[in-house]
Amino acid sequence: MPLHQYVYFALSSRRITAQEITDALGIEPDETRVVNPRRLPVDPSHPFCQIWKLVCREPGLCVDEQIARVPGRLRPQTDRIAELMKQFNSAEDKEEPGLEARLEVVRYFNDTEQQEEEAGQPQDRDKHNLFGWALDREAIDFLAATGAFLDVDEYDMTPSSPAG
């Protein structure tokens, strides 16, 4: 079964910019994203948010190997991430976090389009099973220390058969 997967760690905020996160951590993100950039931050029906990400998209790795690479890059700044989380998430404002941290796992099963893109790349004859994965103690400790949550999105990309 074709499988495409990647992992990222994201810091999202409605109060500080991705550049301010970069400056605070001293780590350049792999990606940034602005959600609803034309809206004012004060419009609650259309929130404005900036997202700072470190990403591992390396094919052929199990999810646990991808996960290990992302927090591995952040480990020297674990305490600083925890400080930022505390600084922007006051006890008085439980409804609207100022900074949110998450480790995201994204998996596409039966992704034949991705398989076609990778067809020209050298294949590992001893390819290991990419379907199972687990969080090791280091990953769990990192999530706990930074106040991050784990989100797993899995999509079945099998084409629908025409109704008939």
Side-chain angles (χ1 to χ4, degrees), residues 12-15 41 43-49 85 88-100:
S12 306
S13 182
R14 289 173 172 60
R15 297 187 187 157
D43 181 357
S45 65
H46 299 284
F48 171 84
C49 181
M85 292 292 287
F88 289 98
N89 295 309
S90 67
E92 301 89 47
D93 197 2
K94 293 276 187 192
E95 295 207 11
E96 176 77 30
L99 185 63
E100 185 176 85

PDB file of all heavy atoms in Angstrom, residues 12-15 41 43-49 85 88-100:
ATOM      1  N   SER A  12       2.091  28.027  17.131  1.00  0.00           N
ATOM      2  CA  SER A  12       1.075  28.873  16.520  1.00  0.00           C
ATOM      3  C   SER A  12       0.682  29.959  17.496  1.00  0.00           C
ATOM      4  O   SER A  12       0.537  29.695  18.691  1.00  0.00           O
ATOM      5  CB  SER A  12      -0.174  28.063  16.189  1.00  0.00           C
ATOM      6  OG  SER A  12       0.151  26.946  15.409  1.00  0.00           O
ATOM      7  N   SER A  13       0.473  31.167  16.973  1.00  0.00           N
ATOM      8  CA  SER A  13       0.113  32.265  17.868  1.00  0.00           C
ATOM      9  C   SER A  13      -0.753  33.303  17.192  1.00  0.00           C
ATOM     10  O   SER A  13      -0.604  33.575  16.003  1.00  0.00           O
ATOM     11  CB  SER A  13       1.375  32.941  18.407  1.00  0.00           C
ATOM     12  OG  SER A  13       1.019  33.973  19.306  1.00  0.00           O
ATOM     13  N   ARG A  14      -1.627  33.888  17.987  1.00  0.00           N
ATOM     14  CA  ARG A  14      -2.411  35.034  17.561  1.00  0.00           C
ATOM     15  C   ARG A  14      -1.822  36.310  18.164  1.00  0.00           C
ATOM     16  O   ARG A  14      -2.313  37.395  17.932  1.00  0.00           O
ATOM     17  CB  ARG A  14      -3.859  34.883  18.007  1.00  0.00           C
ATOM     18  CG  ARG A  14      -4.622  33.819  17.239  1.00  0.00           C
ATOM     19  CD  ARG A  14      -6.004  33.613  17.848  1.00  0.00           C
ATOM     20  NE  ARG A  14      -6.902  32.771  17.126  1.00  0.00           N
ATOM     21  CZ  ARG A  14      -6.741  31.498  16.810  1.00  0.00           C
ATOM     22  NH1 ARG A  14      -5.633  30.894  17.117  1.00  0.00           N
ATOM     23  NH2 ARG A  14      -7.660  30.812  16.182  1.00  0.00           N
ATOM     24  N   ARG A  15      -0.793  36.159  18.989  1.00  0.00           N
ATOM     25  CA  ARG A  15      -0.216  37.312  19.690  1.00  0.00           C
ATOM     26  C   ARG A  15       1.188  37.677  19.247  1.00  0.00           C
ATOM     27  O   ARG A  15       1.577  38.829  19.347  1.00  0.00           O
ATOM     28  CB  ARG A  15      -0.196  37.044  21.195  1.00  0.00           C
ATOM     29  CG  ARG A  15      -1.583  36.890  21.768  1.00  0.00           C
ATOM     30  CD  ARG A  15      -1.553  36.801  23.262  1.00  0.00           C
ATOM     31  NE  ARG A  15      -2.896  36.480  23.741  1.00  0.00           N
ATOM     32  CZ  ARG A  15      -3.142  35.928  24.893  1.00  0.00           C
ATOM     33  NH1 ARG A  15      -2.161  35.636  25.706  1.00  0.00           N
ATOM     34  NH2 ARG A  15      -4.376  35.663  25.241  1.00  0.00           N
ATOM     35  N   PRO A  41      -6.607  41.143  14.013  1.00  0.00           N
ATOM     36  CA  PRO A  41      -6.535  40.178  15.117  1.00  0.00           C
ATOM     37  C   PRO A  41      -7.699  40.291  16.093  1.00  0.00           C
ATOM     38  O   PRO A  41      -7.966  39.372  16.835  1.00  0.00           O
ATOM     39  CB  PRO A  41      -5.219  40.523  15.806  1.00  0.00           C
ATOM     40  CG  PRO A  41      -4.453  41.359  14.857  1.00  0.00           C
ATOM     41  CD  PRO A  41      -5.434  41.979  13.916  1.00  0.00           C
ATOM     42  N   ASP A  43     -10.890  40.470  15.311  1.00  0.00           N
ATOM     43  CA  ASP A  43     -12.121  39.884  14.771  1.00  0.00           C
ATOM     44  C   ASP A  43     -12.199  38.422  15.193  1.00  0.00           C
ATOM     45  O   ASP A  43     -11.566  37.565  14.596  1.00  0.00           O
ATOM     46  CB  ASP A  43     -12.121  40.007  13.245  1.00  0.00           C
ATOM     47  CG  ASP A  43     -13.388  39.449  12.614  1.00  0.00           C
ATOM     48  OD1 ASP A  43     -14.251  38.918  13.347  1.00  0.00           O
ATOM     49  OD2 ASP A  43     -13.510  39.530  11.383  1.00  0.00           O
ATOM     50  N   PRO A  44     -12.974  38.092  16.234  1.00  0.00           N
ATOM     51  CA  PRO A  44     -13.004  36.721  16.746  1.00  0.00           C
ATOM     52  C   PRO A  44     -13.607  35.697  15.797  1.00  0.00           C
ATOM     53  O   PRO A  44     -13.329  34.517  15.902  1.00  0.00           O
ATOM     54  CB  PRO A  44     -13.826  36.836  18.039  1.00  0.00           C
ATOM     55  CG  PRO A  44     -14.634  38.071  17.873  1.00  0.00           C
ATOM     56  CD  PRO A  44     -13.861  38.992  16.958  1.00  0.00           C
ATOM     57  N   SER A  45     -14.423  36.134  14.833  1.00  0.00           N
ATOM     58  CA  SER A  45     -15.030  35.171  13.917  1.00  0.00           C
ATOM     59  C   SER A  45     -14.050  34.712  12.836  1.00  0.00           C
ATOM     60  O   SER A  45     -14.262  33.694  12.200  1.00  0.00           O
ATOM     61  CB  SER A  45     -16.289  35.767  13.287  1.00  0.00           C
ATOM     62  OG  SER A  45     -15.944  36.876  12.482  1.00  0.00           O
ATOM     63  N   HIS A  46     -12.981  35.460  12.617  1.00  0.00           N
ATOM     64  CA  HIS A  46     -11.960  35.110  11.622  1.00  0.00           C
ATOM     65  C   HIS A  46     -10.587  35.347  12.237  1.00  0.00           C
ATOM     66  O   HIS A  46      -9.943  36.351  11.935  1.00  0.00           O
ATOM     67  CB  HIS A  46     -12.123  35.951  10.355  1.00  0.00           C
ATOM     68  CG  HIS A  46     -13.431  35.750   9.679  1.00  0.00           C
ATOM     69  ND1 HIS A  46     -13.708  34.633   8.933  1.00  0.00           N
ATOM     70  CD2 HIS A  46     -14.536  36.509   9.661  1.00  0.00           C
ATOM     71  CE1 HIS A  46     -14.935  34.729   8.467  1.00  0.00           C
ATOM     72  NE2 HIS A  46     -15.462  35.854   8.894  1.00  0.00           N
ATOM     73  N   PRO A  47     -10.139  34.451  13.084  1.00  0.00           N
ATOM     74  CA  PRO A  47      -8.889  34.706  13.802  1.00  0.00           C
ATOM     75  C   PRO A  47      -7.669  34.748  12.890  1.00  0.00           C
ATOM     76  O   PRO A  47      -7.601  34.047  11.886  1.00  0.00           O
ATOM     77  CB  PRO A  47      -8.797  33.539  14.778  1.00  0.00           C
ATOM     78  CG  PRO A  47      -9.654  32.480  14.206  1.00  0.00           C
ATOM     79  CD  PRO A  47     -10.717  33.170  13.404  1.00  0.00           C
ATOM     80  N   PHE A  48      -6.755  35.603  13.261  1.00  0.00           N
ATOM     81  CA  PHE A  48      -5.468  35.756  12.597  1.00  0.00           C
ATOM     82  C   PHE A  48      -4.467  34.900  13.369  1.00  0.00           C
ATOM     83  O   PHE A  48      -4.491  34.866  14.593  1.00  0.00           O
ATOM     84  CB  PHE A  48      -5.073  37.233  12.675  1.00  0.00           C
ATOM     85  CG  PHE A  48      -3.678  37.516  12.228  1.00  0.00           C
ATOM     86  CD1 PHE A  48      -3.383  37.692  10.894  1.00  0.00           C
ATOM     87  CD2 PHE A  48      -2.654  37.636  13.149  1.00  0.00           C
ATOM     88  CE1 PHE A  48      -2.096  37.975  10.480  1.00  0.00           C
ATOM     89  CE2 PHE A  48      -1.366  37.913  12.740  1.00  0.00           C
ATOM     90  CZ  PHE A  48      -1.082  38.089  11.406  1.00  0.00           C
ATOM     91  N   CYS A  49      -3.625  34.176  12.675  1.00  0.00           N
ATOM     92  CA  CYS A  49      -2.680  33.294  13.361  1.00  0.00           C
ATOM     93  C   CYS A  49      -1.428  33.138  12.513  1.00  0.00           C
ATOM     94  O   CYS A  49      -1.506  33.038  11.291  1.00  0.00           O
ATOM     95  CB  CYS A  49      -3.327  31.933  13.589  1.00  0.00           C
ATOM     96  SG  CYS A  49      -2.294  30.759  14.462  1.00  0.00           S
ATOM     97  N   MET A  85       5.892  29.329  26.197  1.00  0.00           N
ATOM     98  CA  MET A  85       4.540  28.816  26.437  1.00  0.00           C
ATOM     99  C   MET A  85       3.970  29.419  27.724  1.00  0.00           C
ATOM    100  O   MET A  85       2.817  29.846  27.760  1.00  0.00           O
ATOM    101  CB  MET A  85       4.544  27.288  26.516  1.00  0.00           C
ATOM    102  CG  MET A  85       4.866  26.597  25.202  1.00  0.00           C
ATOM    103  SD  MET A  85       3.594  26.808  23.960  1.00  0.00           S
ATOM    104  CE  MET A  85       2.336  25.718  24.624  1.00  0.00           C
ATOM    105  N   PHE A  88       3.216  33.313  27.247  1.00  0.00           N
ATOM    106  CA  PHE A  88       2.077  33.699  26.411  1.00  0.00           C
ATOM    107  C   PHE A  88       0.786  32.957  26.727  1.00  0.00           C
ATOM    108  O   PHE A  88      -0.208  33.134  26.020  1.00  0.00           O
ATOM    109  CB  PHE A  88       2.435  33.547  24.931  1.00  0.00           C
ATOM    110  CG  PHE A  88       3.405  34.587  24.467  1.00  0.00           C
ATOM    111  CD1 PHE A  88       4.752  34.304  24.381  1.00  0.00           C
ATOM    112  CD2 PHE A  88       2.975  35.866  24.174  1.00  0.00           C
ATOM    113  CE1 PHE A  88       5.662  35.260  23.976  1.00  0.00           C
ATOM    114  CE2 PHE A  88       3.865  36.842  23.769  1.00  0.00           C
ATOM    115  CZ  PHE A  88       5.216  36.539  23.675  1.00  0.00           C
ATOM    116  N   ASN A  89       0.782  32.148  27.752  1.00  0.00           N
ATOM    117  CA  ASN A  89      -0.425  31.412  28.135  1.00  0.00           C
ATOM    118  C   ASN A  89      -0.691  31.616  29.620  1.00  0.00           C
ATOM    119  O   ASN A  89      -0.405  30.752  30.437  1.00  0.00           O
ATOM    120  CB  ASN A  89      -0.279  29.918  27.807  1.00  0.00           C
ATOM    121  CG  ASN A  89      -0.175  29.687  26.326  1.00  0.00           C
ATOM    122  OD1 ASN A  89      -0.993  30.166  25.565  1.00  0.00           O
ATOM    123  ND2 ASN A  89       0.848  28.974  25.913  1.00  0.00           N
ATOM    124  N   SER A  90      -1.242  32.762  29.947  1.00  0.00           N
ATOM    125  CA  SER A  90      -1.506  33.088  31.344  1.00  0.00           C
ATOM    126  C   SER A  90      -2.677  32.276  31.874  1.00  0.00           C
ATOM    127  O   SER A  90      -3.544  31.826  31.136  1.00  0.00           O
ATOM    128  CB  SER A  90      -1.802  34.581  31.491  1.00  0.00           C
ATOM    129  OG  SER A  90      -3.021  34.900  30.848  1.00  0.00           O
ATOM    130  N   ALA A  91      -2.691  32.107  33.167  1.00  0.00           N
ATOM    131  CA  ALA A  91      -3.761  31.357  33.838  1.00  0.00           C
ATOM    132  C   ALA A  91      -5.106  32.055  33.678  1.00  0.00           C
ATOM    133  O   ALA A  91      -6.150  31.412  33.703  1.00  0.00           O
ATOM    134  CB  ALA A  91      -3.427  31.177  35.312  1.00  0.00           C
ATOM    135  N   GLU A  92      -5.085  33.380  33.498  1.00  0.00           N
ATOM    136  CA  GLU A  92      -6.344  34.131  33.374  1.00  0.00           C
ATOM    137  C   GLU A  92      -7.016  33.935  32.019  1.00  0.00           C
ATOM    138  O   GLU A  92      -8.202  34.125  31.880  1.00  0.00           O
ATOM    139  CB  GLU A  92      -6.094  35.643  33.559  1.00  0.00           C
ATOM    140  CG  GLU A  92      -5.482  36.032  34.875  1.00  0.00           C
ATOM    141  CD  GLU A  92      -3.958  36.008  34.822  1.00  0.00           C
ATOM    142  OE1 GLU A  92      -3.357  36.538  33.872  1.00  0.00           O
ATOM    143  OE2 GLU A  92      -3.369  35.429  35.741  1.00  0.00           O
ATOM    144  N   ASP A  93      -6.242  33.600  31.007  1.00  0.00           N
ATOM    145  CA  ASP A  93      -6.785  33.518  29.648  1.00  0.00           C
ATOM    146  C   ASP A  93      -6.796  32.073  29.151  1.00  0.00           C
ATOM    147  O   ASP A  93      -6.089  31.723  28.227  1.00  0.00           O
ATOM    148  CB  ASP A  93      -5.954  34.407  28.713  1.00  0.00           C
ATOM    149  CG  ASP A  93      -6.681  34.695  27.403  1.00  0.00           C
ATOM    150  OD1 ASP A  93      -7.834  34.245  27.249  1.00  0.00           O
ATOM    151  OD2 ASP A  93      -6.084  35.359  26.550  1.00  0.00           O
ATOM    152  N   LYS A  94      -7.606  31.231  29.765  1.00  0.00           N
ATOM    153  CA  LYS A  94      -7.681  29.811  29.413  1.00  0.00           C
ATOM    154  C   LYS A  94      -8.368  29.580  28.069  1.00  0.00           C
ATOM    155  O   LYS A  94      -8.121  28.597  27.404  1.00  0.00           O
ATOM    156  CB  LYS A  94      -8.444  29.030  30.496  1.00  0.00           C
ATOM    157  CG  LYS A  94      -7.726  28.978  31.812  1.00  0.00           C
ATOM    158  CD  LYS A  94      -6.732  27.875  31.806  1.00  0.00           C
ATOM    159  CE  LYS A  94      -6.146  27.719  33.186  1.00  0.00           C
ATOM    160  NZ  LYS A  94      -5.010  26.899  33.237  1.00  0.00           N
ATOM    161  N   GLU A  95      -9.270  30.479  27.660  1.00  0.00           N
ATOM    162  CA  GLU A  95     -10.038  30.263  26.437  1.00  0.00           C
ATOM    163  C   GLU A  95      -9.231  30.514  25.175  1.00  0.00           C
ATOM    164  O   GLU A  95      -9.464  29.894  24.156  1.00  0.00           O
ATOM    165  CB  GLU A  95     -11.286  31.143  26.449  1.00  0.00           C
ATOM    166  CG  GLU A  95     -12.233  30.747  27.548  1.00  0.00           C
ATOM    167  CD  GLU A  95     -13.653  31.094  27.223  1.00  0.00           C
ATOM    168  OE1 GLU A  95     -13.953  31.455  26.074  1.00  0.00           O
ATOM    169  OE2 GLU A  95     -14.480  30.980  28.125  1.00  0.00           O
ATOM    170  N   GLU A  96      -8.303  31.429  25.208  1.00  0.00           N
ATOM    171  CA  GLU A  96      -7.536  31.820  24.021  1.00  0.00           C
ATOM    172  C   GLU A  96      -6.046  31.708  24.312  1.00  0.00           C
ATOM    173  O   GLU A  96      -5.448  32.619  24.868  1.00  0.00           O
ATOM    174  CB  GLU A  96      -7.882  33.256  23.625  1.00  0.00           C
ATOM    175  CG  GLU A  96      -7.083  33.805  22.474  1.00  0.00           C
ATOM    176  CD  GLU A  96      -7.553  33.290  21.137  1.00  0.00           C
ATOM    177  OE1 GLU A  96      -8.738  33.001  20.996  1.00  0.00           O
ATOM    178  OE2 GLU A  96      -6.707  33.170  20.239  1.00  0.00           O
ATOM    179  N   PRO A  97      -5.428  30.585  23.948  1.00  0.00           N
ATOM    180  CA  PRO A  97      -3.984  30.479  24.203  1.00  0.00           C
ATOM    181  C   PRO A  97      -3.214  31.479  23.354  1.00  0.00           C
ATOM    182  O   PRO A  97      -3.560  31.723  22.198  1.00  0.00           O
ATOM    183  CB  PRO A  97      -3.649  29.043  23.810  1.00  0.00           C
ATOM    184  CG  PRO A  97      -4.750  28.602  22.927  1.00  0.00           C
ATOM    185  CD  PRO A  97      -5.962  29.413  23.288  1.00  0.00           C
ATOM    186  N   GLY A  98      -2.193  32.066  23.947  1.00  0.00           N
ATOM    187  CA  GLY A  98      -1.363  33.016  23.221  1.00  0.00           C
ATOM    188  C   GLY A  98      -0.342  32.325  22.351  1.00  0.00           C
ATOM    189  O   GLY A  98       0.138  32.874  21.371  1.00  0.00           O
ATOM    190  N   LEU A  99      -0.002  31.093  22.716  1.00  0.00           N
ATOM    191  CA  LEU A  99       0.962  30.305  21.959  1.00  0.00           C
ATOM    192  C   LEU A  99       0.571  28.843  22.131  1.00  0.00           C
ATOM    193  O   LEU A  99       0.308  28.389  23.238  1.00  0.00           O
ATOM    194  CB  LEU A  99       2.382  30.543  22.486  1.00  0.00           C
ATOM    195  CG  LEU A  99       3.524  29.888  21.728  1.00  0.00           C
ATOM    196  CD1 LEU A  99       3.620  30.428  20.298  1.00  0.00           C
ATOM    197  CD2 LEU A  99       4.846  30.132  22.451  1.00  0.00           C
ATOM    198  N   GLU A 100       0.523  28.138  21.028  1.00  0.00           N
ATOM    199  CA  GLU A 100       0.148  26.727  21.050  1.00  0.00           C
ATOM    200  C   GLU A 100       1.271  25.923  20.406  1.00  0.00           C
ATOM    201  O   GLU A 100       1.804  26.318  19.377  1.00  0.00           O
ATOM    202  CB  GLU A 100      -1.147  26.556  20.272  1.00  0.00           C
ATOM    203  CG  GLU A 100      -1.717  25.170  20.314  1.00  0.00           C
ATOM    204  CD  GLU A 100      -3.045  25.114  19.593  1.00  0.00           C
ATOM    205  OE1 GLU A 100      -3.039  24.948  18.361  1.00  0.00           O
ATOM    206  OE2 GLU A 100      -4.078  25.237  20.277  1.00  0.00           O
TER     207      GLU A 100
END
